Amino acid sequence: MPEEGPGAPSLDAIESTLTDGYAEALALEGERARIERRLGEVARDAGGEENLREFARLSESLESADKELERLRSLLGDLQARRRYARTRT
């Protein structure tokens, strides 16, 4: 996507995308917190094969959420830089 000229997003579009991205990051952080709480509950109730399966599933979900959050934060960082550049051009 070009930084300026035809096809370049407007500053308003960039800021709107950042807002949506921050909202998504907050939702992911909330999901991570729920998974961590549930992991703690499952760990306290240790025992049984079903418990072990749930612990493994929750661990995978937490890892997946961490990766997605890392990817989103990277994209948001890039978009913030683009916003700074766009602001210097207006």
Side-chain angles (χ1 to χ4, degrees), residues 1-68:
M1 193 176 321
E3 289 188 5
E4 41 188 312
S10 68
L11 182 56
D12 286 343
I14 292 170
E15 289 180 342
S16 177
T17 302
L18 275 170
T19 299
D20 292 346
Y22 291 136
E24 182 65 24
L26 285 172
L28 276 169
E29 288 171 353
E31 180 63 20
R32 279 191 81 263
R34 285 187 288 280
I35 293 168
E36 286 179 330
R37 276 194 302 276
R38 184 63 187 139
L39 272 169
E41 292 169 1
V42 170
R44 281 191 300 278
D45 297 336
E49 191 173 318
E50 182 64 31
N51 214 11
L52 290 174
R53 280 194 295 269
E54 184 175 7
F55 192 86
R57 182 188 61 76
L58 289 166
S59 295
E60 288 175 11
S61 294
L62 185 59
E63 184 177 337
S64 176
D66 284 341
K67 287 178 183 177
E68 180 64 16

Side-chain angles (χ1 to χ4, degrees), residues 65-76:
D66 284 341
K67 287 178 183 177
E68 180 64 16
L69 194 52
E70 183 178 329
R71 184 188 71 79
L72 182 56
R73 285 180 177 154
S74 175
L75 290 171
L76 288 170

